[in-house]
Amino acid sequence: MEVTNSINEMALRQLDLTADRIGLDLNVRARLGRPDRALIVSVPTRMDNDSVRVFTGYRVQHNDALGPFKGGIRYHPDVNLGEVSALAMWMTWKCSLVGLPFGGAKGGITCDPTALSGKEIQGMTRRYTAEILNFIGPQTDIPAPDMGTNEQVMAWIMDTYSQHKGYAVPGIVTGKPVDIGGTLGRREATGRGIGYIVEQAANHLGMELSKCNALVQGFGNVGLVTARELGRLGVNVVGVSDRSGGIYNPKGLPIENVVRFKKQNKKLLEYPQGEKIAGKEFLELPCEILVPSATEMQITKENAGRLKCRLLVEGANGPTTLEADKILSEKGVLVIPDILANAGGVIVSYFEWVQDLQNFFWTEEEVNNKLNGMLTRTFHEVLKLSQKERVSLRLAALMIAVQRVGRAMLLRGLYA
Ligand code: NAD
């Protein structure tokens, strides 16, 4: 099937550029441009006023040459087949790049979770799980949280799946609460991984972190932990933003204070001790380190030229368009691509899955040390190739990832 929209087109263009560069086998290339399987399901949900609303849900499985499908589930009004397909393809590259035995998938429901009650989200989640039940499993496809979903949603998926099987199946999802088989360190993993990557990148650029200011766009699972981790590294976080807008204070923001405020008031924009910055202008504020951790296509040819950062670390998936990449490279901004920068989430999801399958759990220190080791090794592998081939870190990361998947496909051959 062919899926078109601007985000999926961006993912396909990245694949084309990479395939040209590595001389990818043409048959493999044609196959990788399409997902293995894409499901669209109706999700009838009883609302609190007793009416029934039918949501649309998706699960796209891109490629499983390296192992079972793995990827998050997103609840957001913009979720559509093209977006989910692109995100599934990026998961294939991410798992391959960091050497995990997983293929890529992604799922989602087109909805605004902030406008739904907990009961409604639970009902919608359970019905969605039932609709995709025959296509997921601990050996086939393992979902995880993404934008708009969290540990509680994973617990409901795990419970629904387990009720159908007749026994507890913790390995069906990752990113679930520790009490039901989650791992220590998963909630923080993506932001923590960004911290490890920032350390390596700053070292490479000769930047002293205690003299750097940072902006973090998005203040959810990824952005909030990233802001904390940057603070731990001595970076001065001068701006954070969420859907309501951004707050900026050139002297630095007291992150724990902002977290408490956000928990109580929901909207960051109302935080009293900072300048309010609406919209994408937030990204153009002065800083050394910029971490977009919200959504796709935030940095485009329109605003790339106005960014002030020296280091751009992609916490979100697909925040930078190809045109923006070119402008940033000309400006000398080092871009750490999403499939490397935010891979901490899926790496610790892998650790969770391994622990569930073995019923043997690790300490948080073990989790963090292994995470740091894998990310640091991959960062240097990507850096080395980018220097050798004189290409961006994004292209180098994609070259390693696509090459590995391509090799696996050729080894396994075509079943026909
Ligand atoms: P989340 O739902 O926990 O948080 C998203 C945050 O972004 C919220 O604070 C929201 O208000 C904000 N936001 C949304 N649109 C915005 C906009 N236009 N401008 C500014 N802020 C905006 O989601 P998350 O899990 O933190 O995921 C964020 C990004 O990171 C997504 O691209 C996701 O695919 C990616 N990611 C997440 C994980 C993970 O482990 N959760 C792992 C890898 C990548």
Side-chain angles (χ1 to χ4, degrees):
M1 91 246 14
E2 288 190 50
V3 185
T4 47
N5 90 339
S6 54
I7 297 169
N8 200 46
E9 252 150 43
M10 174 172 147
L12 288 171
R13 281 175 60 202
Q14 288 176 350
L15 172 61
D16 282 343
L17 284 174
T18 313
D20 285 346
R21 186 80 196 198
I22 62 176
L24 185 67
D25 178 278
L26 288 179
N27 296 326
V28 168
R29 178 176 179 158
R31 187 68 189 86
L32 284 174
R34 296 153 170 249
D36 280 7
R37 181 186 282 139
L39 299 174
I40 305 179
V41 295
S42 294
V43 188
T45 303
R46 190 160 306 277
M47 308 304 282
D48 290 345
N49 66 7
D50 221 28
S51 67
V52 173
R53 208 165 136 196
V54 186
F55 295 96
T56 304
Y58 303 90
R59 185 74 185 166
V60 175
Q61 299 171 334
H62 175 252
N63 183 282
D64 67 348
L66 292 171
F69 297 107
K70 182 93 194 77
I73 291 182
R74 178 174 287 197
Y75 289 175
H76 192 275
D78 296 341
V79 165
N80 59 61
L81 186 60
E83 181 188 62
V84 179
S85 301
L87 290 164
M89 184 187 287
W90 288 330
M91 280 306 292
T92 303
W93 309 148
K94 198 181 298 182
C95 294
S96 169
L97 174 66
V98 294
L100 302 181
F102 287 136
K106 205 81 177 191
I109 301 181
T110 315
C111 68
D112 179 2
T114 61
L116 298 173
S117 71
K119 197 172 155 208
E120 290 166 341
I121 295 177
Q122 177 172 178
M124 182 181 78
T125 299
R126 288 187 182 278
R127 182 59 188 252
Y128 170 68
T129 308
E131 292 297 336
I132 63 168
L133 199 104
N134 291 331
F135 299 92
I136 58 173
Q139 304 296 345
T140 48
D141 183 357
I142 307 117
D146 190 74
M147 223 160 125
T149 57
N150 54 23
E151 288 183 1
Q152 179 59 74
V153 171
M154 295 306 114
W156 289 326
I157 295 177
M158 182 261 188
D159 184 66
T160 308
Y161 187 86
S162 300
Q163 295 298 339
H164 276 261
K165 294 291 162 188
Y167 51 90
V169 189
I172 178 62
V173 283
T174 57
K176 59 193 166 291
V178 172
D179 287 337
I180 54 169
T183 181
L184 295 166
R186 172 60 185 93
R187 191 186 305 155
E188 300 82 7
T190 311
R192 196 167 272 153
I194 290 170
Y196 297 146
I197 289 285
V198 166
E199 272 181 294
Q200 296 302 322
N203 203 10
H204 164 65
L205 292 172
M207 286 164 76
E208 220 176 298
L209 286 177
S210 59
K211 294 194 180 135
C212 290
N213 289 337
L215 297 170
V216 180
Q217 184 199 37
F219 208 58
N221 177 285
V222 179
L224 189 155
V225 180
T226 297
R228 273 191 176 139
E229 287 297 306
L230 290 174
R232 188 185 59 78
L233 293 171
V235 176
N236 195 25
V237 179
V238 289
V240 291
S241 76
D242 68 5
R243 210 170 279 129
S244 69
I247 47 166
Y248 173 66
N249 187 335
K251 293 204 191 90
L253 292 164
I255 290 304
E256 292 312 319
N257 214 327
V258 178
V259 172
R260 264 195 303 279
F261 179 86
K262 163 92 181 169
K263 278 196 180 131
Q264 284 156 8
N265 298 270
K266 305 274 187 240
K267 288 186 183 157
L268 271 185
L269 200 62
E270 287 161 13
Y271 184 75
Q273 283 135 39
E275 199 182 320
K276 298 181 196 328
I277 315 281
K280 282 199 197 171
E281 279 104 85
F282 175 82
L283 301 166
E284 300 165 22
L285 293 166
C287 69
E288 280 75 35
I289 303 171
L290 174 64
V291 190
S293 315
T295 188
E296 303 96 8
M297 295 189 146
Q298 293 301 296
I299 300 153
T300 62
K301 64 177 189 299
E302 271 74 45
N303 63 357
R306 294 195 295 272
L307 300 197
K308 315 278 187 313
C309 59
R310 169 79 183 88
L311 176 63
L312 193 157
V313 186
E314 294 187 330
N317 288 308
T320 315
T321 64
L322 269 84
E323 293 76 16
D325 257 345
K326 200 158 168 272
I327 297 168
L328 293 171
S329 152
E330 281 158 12
K331 274 166 64 91
V333 177
L334 186 72
V335 178
I336 313 286
D338 45 9
I339 60 169
L340 171 60
N342 68 37
V346 74
I347 291 174
V348 178
S349 272
Y350 165 62
F351 297 162
E352 180 174 334
W353 180 73
V354 167
Q355 292 170 73
D356 286 338
L357 295 186
Q358 300 184 339
N359 288 308
F360 181 70
F361 290 87
W362 311 350
T363 64
E364 188 158 357
E365 200 187 353
E366 281 175 275
V367 169
N368 293 344
N369 288 342
K370 286 190 168 76
L371 170 64
N372 196 350
M374 283 177 84
L375 280 175
T376 302
R377 193 189 61 226
T378 310
F379 175 85
H380 289 285
E381 194 187 344
V382 172
L383 182 63
K384 201 166 146 204
L385 185 69
S386 86
Q387 288 169 335
K388 180 168 165 253
E389 297 284 326
R390 297 177 175 277
V391 295
S392 66
L393 292 181
R394 187 185 316 283
L395 189 50
L398 286 166
M399 285 164 72
I400 295 168
V402 175
Q403 189 90 264
R404 199 170 274 158
V405 176
R407 266 200 315 269
M409 287 173 72
L410 289 173
L411 281 169
R412 288 178 59 162
L414 183 66
Y415 177 69

